[in-house]
Amino acid sequence: PGRTLRVLLCTLYYFTLTNYLCYDVNFDETVGHNEYMKRGQIVFTILCDQKNIIEKTTGIARHDLLAALILDEFNWTNYFGMQIHCINDESAIIATDYASRTLIFELTTFNGIVKTEDNLSGYIINDEIRI
C-alpha cells in the first residue's frame, strides 16, 4: 500500500501477456540501535489471470509454480551482497480476475555510512566501525 511496484512483463513461451511479475526493493530501517546496518526487503508479487491459471505442462497453478521457482532461486542466497531469506509467502485473489502470490525476502546489509577526515574528500576511514 502506498508504494509503486516496478513491473517485469514476462514473455517466456508459457506466459501470456495477462501474467505479471512485479518487484519492489526497500532499504529504510536500521537494525535495532546499530546505525551501521540497515534492513532491506525485496518484495515479489506474481499476478496470474484466472482464465489460464493452470500451467499445462505441470498441472500446477501458475502463480504457485512461479513462486516456487523464485523461492528456489533467491532464498538463502547472496545475490544482493548479503544473505536473503523469505519472511512472508502469501497467496490471494485480486478483483476476482487474478490470483496473486506475494513473496517478501529480507536482508541485513551495511548502511553505507562514510566518514571522511575533512568531510569533503572521498577517503573512507573505516577503522572506527566495529560490527
Side-chain angles (χ1 to χ4, degrees):
R3 296 186 201 156
T4 302
L5 293 178
R6 297 165 187 92
V7 177
L8 295 175
L9 298 178
C10 298
T11 56
L12 300 175
Y13 71 95
Y14 53 85
F15 290 126
T16 64
L17 293 177
T18 58
N19 301 302
Y20 304 95
L21 175 60
C22 310
Y23 71 98
D24 188 23
V25 179
N26 299 308
F27 290 97
D28 59 354
E29 181 181 322
T30 57
V31 180
H33 297 289
N34 186 349
E35 66 182 32
Y36 299 110
M37 302 297 284
K38 64 183 173 182
R39 184 169 289 122
Q41 287 188 340
I42 298 96
V43 180
F44 288 96
T45 303
I46 303 160
L47 301 169
C48 294
D49 193 346
Q50 291 277 31
K51 293 175 187 159
N52 63 352
I53 193 70
I54 301 298
E55 201 276 323
K56 292 180 175 101
T57 308
T58 61
I60 299 172
R62 196 175 306 274
H63 66 297
D64 292 336
L65 179 61
L66 289 171
L69 292 171
I70 291 170
L71 275 168
D72 184 53
E73 187 67 28
F74 287 98
N75 206 22
W76 299 107
T77 64
N78 293 329
Y79 283 159
F80 296 94
M82 297 294 228
Q83 192 172 70
I84 62 173
H85 62 280
C86 185
I87 60 166
N88 195 6
D89 181 357
E90 290 183 356
S91 188
I93 303 292
I94 297 177
T96 69
D97 293 333
Y98 285 91
S100 77
R101 188 75 173 257
T102 302
L103 302 170
I104 301 175
F105 294 92
E106 190 172 81
L107 74 144
T108 302
T109 188
F110 299 107
N111 201 7
I113 296 174
V114 176
K115 180 180 177 185
T116 61
E117 291 198 19
D118 57 5
N119 291 328
L120 299 174
S121 68
Y123 179 72
I124 300 172
I125 301 172
N126 61 2
D127 61 346
E128 294 179 357
I129 299 174
R130 301 285 181 248
I131 299 172

